[in-house]
Amino acid sequence: MELLLSLILIIIGTKLAGHLCHRIGIPAVIGELLTGVVLGPALLGLVLHTEMISIFAEIGVILLMFLAGLESDLDKLKKYLKPSVMVALFGILLPMIFLSGAAHLFDITWKEAIFIGVIFSATSVSISVQVLKEYKRLDTAEGSVTLGAAVVDDIAVVLIVSLFSAFLNMDSGASVGGVGLLWDLLGTKILFFLGLFLFAKFILKPLISLTKKLVAVEIETALGLVLCFAFAIIAQKVGMSDVIGAFFIGLLLSKHEVKHNIEHNTSVIGYSLFIPVFFVSIGLDIELSAFKEYAVLIIVFTVLATLTKLIGGYLGGRLTHLDRDQSLIVGAGMVSRGEMALIIVKMGENLGLVSAGHYSAIVVAVILTTLFSPLLIKFAIEQSEKKNTLA
């Protein structure tokens, strides 16, 4: 009963917030994130971040990235692979250097400081996807680069976290063989993408044809959801984010005629319930008490986290011949940390790499960057549109 009441409040709150955001001309996702702050422990305390809310939120982000894959152009992503890698590279290096250095200046040990740099190197493209879709920029050069860079970023950061875990095992006396470590870091990921390629080449089309012969209600959508969840599970099993699996199977399905039916029905399922819960769940993690104790640390982390991704994305875009407006949109799209950074900071706490005191400050800074990102994307898009109008 408590879950149902929470869902009622979330659905009503996000829809009203979305309407209000539309009226005042800001991205709707801002209202959904703030709904979590208002309904959660930070203010009213009507909705708590329970295990069931976490499950609904996880399904929400998986569906969101599955839809992003369905709406993307595989050929365009291949075309912009080089800029995507360059943007991801700068977007990892700058936060690693500046956030780690800043953390150490606050008398945080080098081990924890470097891991804080890793946390803020992560990018959560799910927020950016929502804003780019809202402004019809997802299937553009800048949208493709942002998506591609975020996927590369996710994979790279997961590898870095895996390295940290391996070195911790070495420090604690556990034996980690070179071949075994290399397999854990790269082997399973390579196998995942090889399996994805073979599935797309030999199995996907016959599977779609077989599905069409079955007489069952919404069988195509059911197939899409099964594949979405299955590849999310597989990606997680090989040590990557589940959203990577969901995104890539959506991308492969986008090449087939069933795409439109799956996309429409999944949008209805996702945006009516699961996706709003995901956005609200991020706001639920805000703790106002952290502002009092770690105000300066939060401000420094938030400012540096925002600037390093914005500048890193911009530099990566410019060095690979995107124009200034496109590069600014890409940089703004990389600012959001969202669920990816929250997952990594939780892992760091479990590994003893993030102290209990700094945990809340990092979470607040992560959520603040996630709130700023949609506003930065809106600003960058509006600047681009103004120049195009004047031209």
Side-chain angles (χ1 to χ4, degrees), residues 180-200:
L181 175 60
L182 190 63
W183 173 254
D184 287 340
L185 288 176
L186 295 175
T188 52
K189 281 78 174 175
I190 293 169
L191 273 183
F192 171 79
F193 286 107
L194 178 61
L196 197 65
F197 170 77
L198 294 173
F199 181 83

Side-chain angles (χ1 to χ4, degrees), residues 369-389:
T369 62
T370 305
L371 283 168
F372 293 155
S373 180
L375 296 174
L376 289 170
I377 296 170
K378 178 179 182 288
F379 172 78
I381 290 173
E382 286 177 347
Q383 291 296 109
S384 174
E385 288 174 347
K386 278 181 187 176
K387 288 181 183 177
N388 290 335
T389 302

Side-chain angles (χ1 to χ4, degrees), residues 197-259:
F197 170 77
L198 294 173
F199 181 83
K201 190 170 182 64
F202 299 108
I203 300 174
L204 185 55
K205 191 171 181 180
L207 188 59
I208 292 170
S209 300
L210 176 64
T211 302
K212 288 182 177 180
K213 296 176 183 177
L214 299 177
V215 181
V217 178
E218 298 298 350
I219 186 68
E220 291 178 347
T221 305
L223 171 66
L225 290 174
V226 166
L227 292 176
C228 167
F229 295 144
F231 277 90
I233 292 169
I234 295 167
Q236 199 170 51
K237 289 290 185 184
V238 299
M240 294 190 296
S241 171
D242 47 17
V243 299
I244 292 176
F247 171 74
F248 275 105
I249 193 61
L251 193 62
L252 295 177
L253 282 168
S254 71
K255 304 288 284 184
H256 297 271
E257 67 277 6
V258 295
K259 162 194 169 176

